[in-house]
Amino acid sequence: MVGTGAPALLARYRTAEQLDARHRLAVADHDRLAKHTAEGAPGVQDAVLDVSRYADVYDPALHGRELLVLDRIENFHRRYRWS
């Protein structure tokens, strides 16, 4: 059963707006980013993820949007920062 306050609660998440704000990604860019993603895959003990190599994709999609992005891994502990 859905409570009467559910629509207002869900509206705060702005789901449609968030979906509309997604960044269209070309297949070639996806392939480049997939290699970057592997650097932070589970089981990686230490890594520093440098997004400058992907600035052409990163900046329009994430820069200034205040989203959490993986920054580095230290002894299996993931460290995030705001975009």
Side-chain angles (χ1 to χ4, degrees):
M1 173 175 268
V2 176
T4 57
L9 177 65
L10 290 173
R12 291 191 300 192
Y13 290 106
R14 303 179 347 257
T15 304
E17 180 183 331
Q18 296 294 331
L19 290 172
D20 289 342
R22 290 179 296 175
H23 180 77
R24 183 175 212 101
L25 193 62
V27 173
D29 291 331
H30 176 273
D31 291 345
R32 273 192 314 143
L33 292 172
K35 293 176 185 173
H36 178 69
T37 303
E39 295 172 7
V44 173
Q45 183 172 355
D46 294 295
V48 175
L49 288 85
D50 178 15
V51 297
S52 67
R53 297 179 288 172
Y54 310 99
D56 60 319
V57 175
Y58 175 87
D59 286 346
L62 298 171
H63 183 74
R65 292 189 55 204
E66 295 299 316
L67 299 171
L68 283 176
V69 294
L70 181 61
D71 187 51
R72 64 189 180 281
I73 303 170
E74 299 171 341
N75 197 27
F76 300 104
H77 183 81
R78 293 170 168 261
R79 304 268 182 196
Y80 293 86
R81 63 177 174 77
W82 296 105
S83 66

